[in-house]
Amino acid sequence: MFKKLEFAVSRVSRGRQTALQVCRTLSAALIVLLLPATALAYPSSIVFSPNGETKPLGTIGLLAYGAINVSPSVTPSSSWFGIQGGILPQWKYGESGVSFGGLEVGFDVITPFETSQGAIVKPVLNVKLGAVTEGVLTPSVSVGLMEVSPSHASMDFTYVAATKTLRASPDARSYGRVTLGYGLNIGDRAQFNGSFPFHDTRSALMAGYETPLIAGRLGFVLDYLGGTSEISDTYLGAVVNITNTTALGAGAFLANDRSNAPNDGAFVSLVETFDVRKLGEKL
């Protein structure tokens, strides 16, 4: 719901790791049975892996994300607080049902961060450009840059992602949604290290699956964001749409690097999404 939706390998503490990124594209469509589950992090994402979509012009998402490490010991993890918004329109391509464009930008705060060094807050920025929206046979595609920190060692994670709903036609029953992507750390090398299938490189595989919503409210997600970093983990979670604009997410994360006492744990997130243009109409 956008993600946040999310994630550098100072491993802030595995927890938040992601958020998300959060990005979350919660829309009125969430009330429809068997639509894909909403993302948990910023930018628009599965949990932390960005998806191929961008937020529509005027759509704003607010994120609160918290986590706790349960392995190798029970310890608090970092929290994320963020805002993400769509700032450019999407242009329709004739009667094809496909649109081009769309741009979303976001700002997240990770806290606490490296408290041993006296730094308790790490701000990170992200931007995502939509290439094309989803068609009957083609996926939505986006490119972006995330985890850009103006005050700390920066991961500068660039990526391309594609997302496709599994159904025969726009009116057919959905069997969920899949996302595949590739990411590259172009920033501080110490902030990222690759895992399967790009061991010890700057590259990352991103892969995720979102189930159809049950009764228009409950969905499940599986998200793999490769590497070792502040956003990298394997996530399994659930999303409950409390209202048409509010989503509560919870789940578990597993470190991709299983050596040296990996940090595994649980997370919870709350996302509120709204259209500022509609708010303006009510004023």
Side-chain angles (χ1 to χ4, degrees), residues 25-43:
T25 298
L26 274 169
S27 69
L30 292 178
I31 63 175
V32 181
L33 181 63
L34 296 180
L35 286 181
T38 304
L40 297 177
Y42 283 147

Side-chain angles (χ1 to χ4, degrees), residues 128-186:
K128 181 199 277 192
L129 177 66
V132 62
T133 60
E134 183 174 333
V136 176
L137 299 176
T138 56
S140 58
V141 178
S142 68
V143 295
L145 174 65
M146 61 190 289
E147 300 311 295
V148 179
S149 177
S151 60
H152 295 75
S154 186
M155 184 172 156
D156 297 347
F157 190 70
T158 62
Y159 62 86
V160 57
T163 298
K164 185 71 179 74
T165 303
L166 303 177
R167 57 187 173 193
S169 69
D171 298 325
R173 177 175 179 174
S174 168
Y175 292 93
R177 193 165 67 166
V178 295
T179 294
L180 290 175
Y182 168 78
L184 180 67
N185 163 37
I186 61 173

Side-chain angles (χ1 to χ4, degrees), residues 15 52 57 71-72 86 88 108 120 154-155 163 169 191-192 202 219 236 246:
L57 175 65
S71 174
L88 282 182
D108 301 304
I120 61 173
S154 186
M155 184 172 156
T163 298
S169 69
Q191 301 304 300
F192 179 89
R202 289 178 174 265
L236 178 63
T246 305

Side-chain angles (χ1 to χ4, degrees), residues 2 21 34 36 38 55 69 100 116 155 179 192 204 208 213 218 249 255:
F2 286 7
Q21 299 182 26
L34 296 180
T38 304
K55 289 185 179 298
N69 299 315
F100 298 95
S116 62
M155 184 172 156
T179 294
F192 179 89
L213 290 175
L218 174 65

Side-chain angles (χ1 to χ4, degrees), residues 181-199:
Y182 168 78
L184 180 67
N185 163 37
I186 61 173
D188 190 322
R189 185 66 177 88
Q191 301 304 300
F192 179 89
N193 192 40
S195 62
F196 175 85
F198 302 113
H199 293 286

